[in-house]
Amino acid sequence: MIALTAAEIAAATHGTRSGIAPEHVVTGPVVTDSREVLPGGLFVALPGEHVDGHDFAAGAVAAGAALVLAARELPGLPCVVVPDVERALGDLAREVLVRLREAAAVPGGSGLQVVGITGSVGKTTTKDVLAQICGTAGPTVAPVRSFNNEIGLPLTVLRADEQTRFLVLEMGASGPGHLTYLTDIAPPDVAVVLVVGQAHLGGFGGGVDGVARAKAEIVAGLVPGGTAVLNGDDPRVRAMSAVAPGRVVLFGAAPDAEVRVEDVRLDAVGRASFRLVHVVGRERHERDVELRLVGEHHVHNALAAAATALSVGLDLDDVATGLSAADALSPHRMHVVDRADGVTVVDDSYNANPDSMRAALKALAVIAGRERRSVAVLGEMLELGDEHRTAHDAIGRLVVRLNIGLTVVVGEGARAIRDGANHEGSWGDEVVLVDDVQSAAAFLADELRPGDVVLVKSSYGAGLWQLGDRLVAGDA
């Protein structure tokens, strides 16, 4: 974080100083985990369901924290006391970004540009790829892991400083108003909408159209004259151009898309190569790209990253080179590991919704091909509301259509996957239902054999990421 005095932090957060002089300066990073405190930093004491950050404040100060952002006075500790710690964290991030933008606009400033990315699927991968491309052109800050909510986004903003040229933010939403809140903290110069799908349906109301209305909030939240980068192949996303305050850039296969992809090819392990096309007026520019990412669905994410990078001023050569060099950075995101025993693990267990589940299963089928047995270990997709059973049933039917060799359904919440597979024509031991992660691990330890390709996929809350870790380590 940029250096701020205790008085400035109190003013930004509408808080009151306690046990600290107004001129005392905070120079270190802002953290919510006392184990991550560095000297001079700010510890944010968030109350939680299971632990209360205030209980760790003394340890944070002992580790070097210069100040604690707290909901109550902590005798003997330097604090700024606020009514709502989470809201105060957002207020602080908003103030810091205002200052950074002012500094960036002066002659010799960084020219800071803020990018916000949302969509029902692909946000984290697109963020990772874009950050790697932008990082070749200037200092870039992007979220670690999937920091895309009311806590993670402010923490990412607060990592930026006067040298930051690109601030790439992932913006998630599980209901109406969430993106409005996030864009109020960090209004993007460029807003990216990837796709509207069946993620978090239970929280939006109105089905997929409700999701679309909520996702459009990121476009409405652009800075005046900001650029909207929209998926031209998704009618609901394309329609968001109506609320864009400035330029609209479409990406996709649509004939009017400014950034397109042609001649997509997959290698034996599911990595895509393609021709990247950038249409400027009547001129057509193209470059060849070979992705390191596994799965044809990543072509869409790469195209979105390319359109965004071009929108913030990078040239086509640098974008194509950056795409070809980009790696998967976030854990449990199509992480492919060839084990010593001949089993290939595809760990995509960080999260799941119907769109990403379908994409992962198709990637599994490609990687396994006709020579190897495909094994899908699937858990529950959460927050689907009234669509829960129908969505899981459809995944089970897709498993059969893709001719997946063995499907292990984990947990009662995912039972409808097995039911859908049975209704589609699965028979014998092709689909197995087990109780939990431990049962799945025990079953796979006996069942997997050299040559198998095993996919692990579920929502984070279903816990299959733990099984992913064990499979990658060879413990299951």
Side-chain angles (χ1 to χ4, degrees):
M1 186 178 73
I2 61 175
L4 293 173
T5 66
E8 289 173 318
I9 292 172
T13 60
H14 311 286
T16 303
R17 289 179 294 103
S18 174
I20 189 168
E23 67 274 10
H24 191 82
V25 179
V26 177
T27 58
V30 180
V31 299
T32 59
D33 187 332
S34 61
R35 295 168 296 185
E36 298 175 355
V37 166
L38 292 178
L42 172 63
F43 175 64
V44 181
L46 287 168
E49 293 182 11
H50 305 294
V51 295
D52 186 345
H54 295 79
D55 296 337
F56 300 89
V61 173
L67 183 64
V68 177
L69 193 62
R72 60 178 184 270
E73 289 194 16
L74 299 171
L77 299 181
C79 299
V80 166
V81 181
V82 295
D84 184 319
V85 176
E86 182 180 299
R87 286 272 175 177
L89 178 62
D91 291 339
L92 180 60
R94 182 186 302 105
E95 173 63 20
V96 166
L97 184 55
V98 167
R99 295 185 181 211
L100 289 176
R101 278 183 154 141
E102 290 173 350
V106 303
S110 68
L112 173 67
Q113 294 191 72
V114 179
V115 175
I117 302 171
T118 198
S120 298
V121 63
K123 295 186 295 296
T124 299
T125 299
T126 303
K127 172 264 297 183
D128 287 343
V129 171
L130 179 62
Q132 290 174 79
I133 298 172
C134 290
T136 66
T140 300
V141 171
V144 294
R145 301 186 293 278
S146 185
F147 274 26
N148 62 19
N149 61 11
E150 295 85 351
I151 297 170
L153 180 135
L155 289 174
T156 303
V157 171
L158 291 167
R159 288 173 45 221
D161 60 25
E162 293 88 349
Q163 283 71 50
T164 302
R165 182 176 174 189
F166 302 106
L167 176 57
V168 179
L169 300 172
E170 182 179 338
M171 296 186 174
S174 54
H178 290 183
L179 290 179
T180 296
Y181 178 79
L182 297 180
T183 57
D184 181 64
I185 294 171
D189 298 286
V190 179
V192 187
V193 186
L194 301 172
V195 67
V196 170
Q198 294 177 294
H200 308 294
L201 281 177
F204 288 97
V208 178
D209 288 334
V211 177
R213 288 190 293 272
K215 297 296 185 186
E217 293 172 11
I218 194 174
V219 179
L222 278 160
V223 299
T227 299
V229 176
L230 305 177
N231 179 2
D233 299 332
D234 185 326
R236 291 183 176 88
V237 176
R238 177 187 280 264
M240 296 177 193
S241 60
V243 298
R247 183 168 174 250
V248 173
V249 175
L250 298 180
F251 65 91
D256 59 342
E258 183 175 322
V259 183
R260 308 172 195 165
V261 62
E262 297 178 355
D263 193 21
V264 177
R265 303 171 302 280
L266 295 179
D267 66 14
V269 295
R271 288 187 291 259
S273 58
F274 56 87
R275 183 173 301 112
L276 175 65
V277 179
H278 185 205
V279 179
V280 183
R282 296 184 178 181
E283 296 183 358
R284 172 189 169 100
H285 308 274
E286 57 185 61
R287 299 292 186 275
D288 290 331
V289 171
E290 295 183 1
L291 293 181
R292 297 183 182 183
L293 308 175
V294 174
E296 185 176 7
H297 58 290
H298 285 315
V299 173
H300 175 268
N301 300 328
L303 192 61
T308 308
L310 292 165
S311 297
V312 297
L314 276 67
D315 64 42
L316 187 61
D317 285 329
D318 290 339
V319 171
T321 299
L323 286 177
S324 295
D327 291 310
L329 300 182
S330 297
H332 305 292
R333 305 274 187 172
M334 290 303 289
H335 180 46
V336 181
V337 175
D338 293 316
R339 296 193 332 197
D341 62 358
V343 173
T344 296
V345 179
V346 183
D347 180 6
D348 197 35
S349 58
Y350 183 83
N351 217 338
N353 59 51
D355 296 312
S356 67
M357 188 76 86
R358 286 190 290 268
L361 285 167
K362 291 175 183 177
L364 170 64
V366 170
I367 296 169
R370 296 183 179 181
E371 305 300 322
R372 308 175 69 182
R373 182 174 67 154
S374 53
V375 180
V377 185
L378 308 178
E380 186 176 5
M381 299 177 290
L382 301 173
E383 301 181 49
L384 293 177
D386 294 340
E387 300 295 322
H388 184 276
R389 178 168 180 79
T390 301
H392 286 81
D393 181 278
I395 294 301
R397 295 174 186 272
L398 178 63
V399 163
V400 177
R401 293 169 193 162
L402 292 173
N403 199 30
I404 302 301
L406 170 65
T407 300
V408 181
V409 180
V410 184
E412 187 63 28
R415 174 185 287 271
I417 295 177
R418 188 197 65 173
D419 296 343
N422 289 340
H423 293 152
E424 190 66 20
S426 176
W427 55 276
D429 297 327
E430 294 173 347
V431 181
V432 177
L433 176 66
V434 298
D435 292 336
D436 50 30
V437 169
Q438 186 61 36
S439 300
F443 176 81
L444 293 168
D446 291 334
E447 178 66 28
L448 293 180
R449 56 180 183 257
D452 285 350
V453 182
V454 54
L455 166 73
V456 187
K457 183 75 172 169
S458 75
S459 287
Y460 187 83
L464 262 65
W465 58 270
Q466 302 169 69
L467 179 60
D469 286 341
R470 293 180 63 173
L471 283 166
V472 167
D475 295 334

